[in-house]
């Protein structure tokens, strides 16, 4: 029987972590929880009720590098990656088991949703690649970049429920969080500033890509945000005003990211 390892990265999530862990405790073969730095609330105390595979790593402020560590610690054939504000409903358990036992793909895109503070919101195009074979997965540990599955991936009719402690779709929320995300993300385009944490891959291709971005930064600043915006719409976000709003937020984020890379390049006097 194929085994499933649930991998979670958390940071002081005592209000949400029990719901997440309880939701997978019934079908996961193991749960791996990585805490981003020292814990200042009851997150680890709660987690100990569900797993003994708990790791405290140095604080980074983002999840992606720690995910590489969690994948290495996983002993299952499959990995289900969740955030602390996500959970799986019981009626999805058989579907997930059937996918890993009888499915023909190496990775599955699960349906996802946003939260307006009162109600979940879902439409075509909202999905996450979070269920995948461990031996087919690779991760660069780069902010805002999903795991890569070196094989066949397909959409499936399984939901990852998403219930953060506050709404996360408004422009007010987005602009508040954007500066924090940008501060973390921009450093990864300058290998002089960070340490990369990879899983099942090397950082070589990323380093070549960062050189390309820095060399042609004006091109990326003008065209990549637009390309991302159009791609998001084609994936289904065009079907609702909320989807168009989300695509617009992605445009603003990537335009701001490349603008910051340009400024950092100038500051560091790099080619």
């Amino acid at each position: 029987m194929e085994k499933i390892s649930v991998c979670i990265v958390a940071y002081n999530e005592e209000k949400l972590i029990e719901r997440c862990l309880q939701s997978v405790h019934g079908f996961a073969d193991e749960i791996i929880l990585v805490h981003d730095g020292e814990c200042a609330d009851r997150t680890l105390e709660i987690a100990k009720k569900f797993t003994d595979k708990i790791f405290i790593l140095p604080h980074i402020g983002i999840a992606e590098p720690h995910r590489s560590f969690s994948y290495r610690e996983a002993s299952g054939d499959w990995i289900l990656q969740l955030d602390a504000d996500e959970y799986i409903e019981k009626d999805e358990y058989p579907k997930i088991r059937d996918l890993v036992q009888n499915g023909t793909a190496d990775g599955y895109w699960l349906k996802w949703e946003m939260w307006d503070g009162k109600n979940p919101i879902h439409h075509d195009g909202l999905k996450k690649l979070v269920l995948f074979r461990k031996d087919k997965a690779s991760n660069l540990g780069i902010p805002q970049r999903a795991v890569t599955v070196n094989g066949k991936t397909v959409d499936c009719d399984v939901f990852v429920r998403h219930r953060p402690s506050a709404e996360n779709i408004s422009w007010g929320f987005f602009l508040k969080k954007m500066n924090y995300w940008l501060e973390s993300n921009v450093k990864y385009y300058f290998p002089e500033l960070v340490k990369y944490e990879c899983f099942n891959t090397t950082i070589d291709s990323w380093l070549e890509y960062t050189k390309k971005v820095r060399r042609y930064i004006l091109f990326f600043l003008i065209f990549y945000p637009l390309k991302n915006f159009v791609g998001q719409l084609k994936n289904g976000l065009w079907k609702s005003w909320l989807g168009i709003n989300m695509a617009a937020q992605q445009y603003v984020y990537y335009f701001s990211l490349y603008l910051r890379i340009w400024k950092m390049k100038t500051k560091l006097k790099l080619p």
Side-chain angles (χ1 to χ4, degrees):
M1 178 177 289
E2 301 281 272
K3 293 184 177 181
I4 302 173
S5 297
V6 175
C7 294
I8 302 165
V9 177
Y11 177 67
N12 294 338
E13 298 282 6
E14 65 178 3
K15 295 180 180 179
L16 300 171
I17 195 64
E18 184 158 13
R19 180 185 62 194
C20 175
L21 294 170
Q22 183 67 56
S23 78
V24 297
H25 191 247
F27 73 89
D29 295 289
E30 69 174 354
I31 300 173
I32 297 164
L33 186 137
V34 176
H35 198 274
D36 179 29
E38 294 298 320
C39 185
D41 64 7
R42 296 181 56 249
T43 298
L44 300 185
E45 176 186 339
I46 295 168
K48 289 176 182 177
K49 297 189 294 184
F50 300 94
T51 181
D52 59 358
K53 300 198 74 171
I54 298 172
F55 304 89
I56 303 173
L57 299 185
H59 180 67
I60 300 177
I62 53 176
E64 287 84 355
H66 294 322
R67 285 180 181 148
S68 292
F69 176 89
S70 71
Y71 300 162
R72 286 194 291 271
E73 293 296 322
S75 63
D77 306 287
W78 289 80
I79 289 173
L80 174 62
Q81 170 197 301
L82 292 178
D83 294 334
D85 60 3
E86 298 171 340
Y87 64 95
I88 304 292
E89 293 183 330
K90 286 187 177 180
D91 59 357
E92 306 285 16
Y93 293 1
K95 298 179 187 178
I96 292 174
R97 274 293 170 192
D98 184 61
L99 288 175
V100 302
Q101 294 299 141
N102 304 311
T104 59
D106 301 301
Y108 293 95
W109 293 86
L110 276 58
K111 295 179 179 179
W112 196 64
E113 61 191 10
M114 300 294 287
W115 178 248
D116 69 0
K118 295 181 180 180
N119 301 295
I121 300 170
H122 173 74
H123 51 75
D124 291 345
L126 278 179
K127 57 185 179 179
K128 295 180 77 173
L129 180 59
V130 293
L131 180 64
F132 44 84
R133 285 190 176 276
K134 176 181 176 179
D135 62 357
K136 295 290 186 177
S138 60
N139 185 50
L140 289 169
I142 306 297
Q144 306 297 319
R145 288 190 173 255
V147 65
T148 298
V149 173
N150 304 303
K152 180 182 177 182
T153 65
V154 298
D155 295 349
C156 68
D157 187 29
V158 177
F159 245 110
V160 175
R161 298 299 174 180
H162 180 222
R163 300 288 193 281
S165 55
E167 65 85 17
N168 65 347
I169 62 172
S170 70
W171 277 92
F173 171 87
F174 168 74
L175 293 173
K176 180 180 178 181
K177 295 290 289 186
M178 185 178 73
N179 283 334
Y180 177 80
W181 294 330
L182 290 173
E183 185 177 350
S184 299
N185 199 347
V186 70
K187 295 176 183 177
Y188 283 81
Y189 288 80
F190 298 89
E192 304 86 351
L193 303 179
V194 293
K195 178 182 178 182
Y196 297 100
E197 296 291 344
C198 301
F199 171 76
N200 274 359
T201 188
T202 68
I203 203 64
D204 296 345
S205 61
W206 174 256
L207 294 181
E208 288 301 314
Y209 177 70
T210 62
K211 291 178 183 178
K212 182 179 179 181
V213 170
R214 296 199 306 265
R215 184 177 300 118
Y216 304 109
I217 186 59
L218 186 59
F219 173 86
F220 278 87
L221 178 66
I222 294 172
F223 291 104
Y224 187 85
L226 182 60
K227 177 184 176 182
N228 182 270
F229 175 73
V230 173
Q232 294 281 350
L233 295 179
K234 286 183 176 180
N235 282 339
L237 296 189
W238 65 271
K239 295 181 180 180
S240 73
W241 282 113
L242 174 62
I244 295 171
N245 178 73
M246 291 174 59
Q249 289 178 352
Q250 289 290 301
Y251 176 88
V252 171
Y253 176 82
Y254 281 105
F255 182 87
S256 301
L257 172 63
Y258 290 115
L259 183 60
R260 286 208 182 191
I261 293 171
W262 193 354
K263 291 180 178 179
M264 181 70 75
K265 172 188 173 181
T266 302
K267 179 181 178 181
L268 297 177
K269 299 179 180 179
L270 294 173

